[in-house]
Amino acid sequence: TLANNIATSIIRIKNKKALQESEEKFKLLANNIPGGVYLVKFDKKRTKVFLNNEFEKLTGYSKEDFFSERVRLHQLYHPDDKAKALQEIDKAIKEKKSFLVTSRLIKKDGTEIWIEEHGEAIIVNDVVEYLEGVLIDITERKKAEEAILARELAETSNKAKSEFLANMSHEIRTPLNGIIGFSKLLLNTRITEVQKQYLQTVNQSAESLLDVVNDILDLSKIEAGKLSLENSKTSLHTIINQSVDMVKFTAHQKNIELIVNVQEHIECNIWTDEVRLRQILQNLLSNAVKFTLKGQIELNITASKVRESKSKIRFEVKDTGIGIKPENKGKILEAFSQEDSSTTRNFGGTGLGLSITNSLLKLMYSQLEINSEVKKGSSFSFEIELKTEPCGNKNILNNKLKRALVVEDNPLVCEVIERMFRSLNLPCKTISTKTDLPSIITNEEEYDLILIDYEFLNKKVTHEIIDVVSQNQHRHLIIMQNSTSDFISNKSFKNIHNVIKPLKINVLQNYLNKINNPFLDNEIVDLTLVNNDKNKIKILIVED
């Protein structure tokens, strides 16, 4: 009996010590959990057995407030969440299952937090004796979830808007084109001067609105993923010429020199989306003209061979405009954004041009590069890799010309024209002086082709040169003029020609071919002179 009692005592002492050690370990673990841990009796008061230190931080109340029953956990539930939370806990206890409740909790200072409460009943002899649980603060996670949900809703809404506008493209453009077309037709009828001014205002307003609508619809198509690129053979020179022709009148109105500088030996038959590449160049050139008050704008195009039938072509639009602040370079590529509010106020525009341009370039696996200095100018450039092949023959047909003289005050224009003549195998000299020019032309008989810049020379000098050249039918004069110039070529002189600046290589080649082969045009003219009954024909036109 004594031995048994001693053994039992020893076991009890050991178990008590083990229990104390287990309790200490439990408390240490519980106090290091990043959440409030509780153990309560399953009675009406939910008598507290244990609360960890984090419980105070989570609720703002002290452990003594809970142990003394001054405050109870269920009282802290948000009024809108309380009934549901208690109902879920009671149901789990009855079914003897663990529970997970998500609700808002009102802290002592009145602030609200979101918590997740993980708990379960402790069952002894098939009876619920205790409840234990952990409260975790999930406020930050809830905020993140709400932000993600708000973003998803915004993206869904934005996509729906973009798809709607992309689908409405035709319906919006058609009536605007009707206004523009019929107002132009009406302008050609017999109307008073006042009516003409009113109609011009209607026409200009409709065209401005169409530009804005086109920009918005293009952006919407890109956002909706409904814009796809074509890939067909086209001429690089055609795209360049059409892009430049769209802006040259506005540039010449501001007395800005427009220079097209294309590498001579570039392979100009290219495979690309002609419409979109032209749109990109027009956007960049229009921007350059808009933000340049004086000086010049260059369109520089170079190419490097990547491999057979593939070239990397670099396009650059360089201006002497107002420039861009370094911190605003990224901003100007955002939709509906310009460098600052004063830019929009002074120059107008939607701020979509560069955003659309950069989006189109992304579809071409490229991007816009910007270099700029405030009050000195900007350079916008990009590179695209395209399938290319060499252009046709650049030689002049039946060339009889020996040497050309170019009179131009802009050094870069002189350099570009010199390179053009060199590629056409025709020697060329440039001068930039006005003095004694007629006498130079008279004495220098070796110049059988002369190009002069009409804006550089005054009317008197120009007409003196015309008089000198017109006396010798074997010499030719090409007058380079702005689209706003008042000069009108004299059709009675067959060796005097005029061309709108900027001079382009294919235009120069065409002029030189006409000068050297005048019979090609004469044959066509002679056919129109035939006028007798035997050669008359009847033509039927069927048009719906």
Side-chain angles (χ1 to χ4, degrees), residues 102-241:
T102 302
S103 66
R104 284 165 291 177
L105 205 69
I106 300 173
K107 296 176 68 172
K108 188 176 183 179
D109 60 5
T111 58
E112 291 180 12
I113 60 169
W114 278 94
I115 59 148
E116 265 185 2
E117 185 175 350
H118 301 257
E120 64 180 343
I122 297 174
I123 300 164
V124 180
N125 297 325
D126 207 33
V127 177
V128 177
E129 291 284 344
Y130 298 95
L131 291 177
E132 56 89 15
V134 179
L135 277 66
I136 299 170
D137 187 345
I138 59 165
T139 308
E140 291 302 318
R141 195 178 83 195
K142 271 287 182 182
K143 285 179 181 178
E145 286 173 357
E146 287 170 3
I148 290 167
L149 183 62
R151 188 184 70 187
E152 286 174 352
L153 286 170
E155 285 175 351
T156 304
S157 172
N158 189 50
K159 189 177 179 183
K161 176 264 300 178
S162 296
E163 287 183 350
F164 169 76
L165 284 173
N167 292 328
M168 287 294 290
S169 172
H170 177 73
E171 284 74 8
I172 294 172
R173 283 188 176 109
T174 301
L176 272 175
N177 284 322
I179 296 167
I180 292 167
F182 280 96
S183 59
K184 281 183 177 177
L185 287 173
L186 200 53
L187 279 167
N188 294 327
T189 61
R190 290 183 181 180
I191 52 176
T192 66
E193 187 58 37
V194 174
Q195 288 172 330
K196 185 178 180 181
Q197 289 175 20
Y198 290 162
L199 277 170
Q200 283 174 339
T201 303
V202 170
N203 189 258
Q204 288 166 4
S205 301
E207 287 187 337
S208 298
L209 182 58
L210 184 62
D211 287 340
V212 174
V213 167
N214 283 339
D215 282 348
I216 293 171
L217 291 174
D218 281 341
L219 186 71
S220 299
K221 274 191 174 183
I222 292 165
E223 286 179 347
K226 292 196 172 185
L227 186 70
S228 56
L229 298 180
E230 302 293 329
N231 191 34
S232 57
K233 184 180 178 181
T234 185
S235 167
L236 177 62
H237 287 300
T238 300
I239 295 172
I240 294 166
N241 293 347

Side-chain angles (χ1 to χ4, degrees), residues 22 37 77 93 97-98 126-128 139 191 197 233 240 249 255 276 280 296 432 436 447 461 463 497 503-504:
S22 296
V37 179
Y77 290 138
I93 292 169
K97 293 180 180 178
S98 60
D126 207 33
V127 177
V128 177
T139 308
I191 52 176
Q197 289 175 20
K233 184 180 178 181
I240 294 166
F249 182 78
N255 203 28
R276 295 304 175 183
I280 290 168
Q296 65 187 38
S432 55
D436 299 325
Y447 298 122
V461 175
H463 286 290
H497 319 271
L503 185 63
K504 305 155 194 148

Side-chain angles (χ1 to χ4, degrees), residues 34-50:
V37 179
Y38 66 81
L39 177 65
V40 298
K41 288 183 179 179
F42 187 61
D43 54 22
K44 286 185 179 180
K45 291 183 178 181
R46 298 287 193 269
T47 306
K48 309 298 178 293
V49 177
F50 174 79

Side-chain angles (χ1 to χ4, degrees), residues 415-430:
E415 181 192 327
V416 170
I417 295 175
E418 270 188 303
R419 292 208 323 267
M420 285 183 189
F421 275 107
R422 201 181 306 133
S423 68
L424 295 169
N425 299 315
L426 184 62
C428 168
K429 181 184 176 182
T430 58

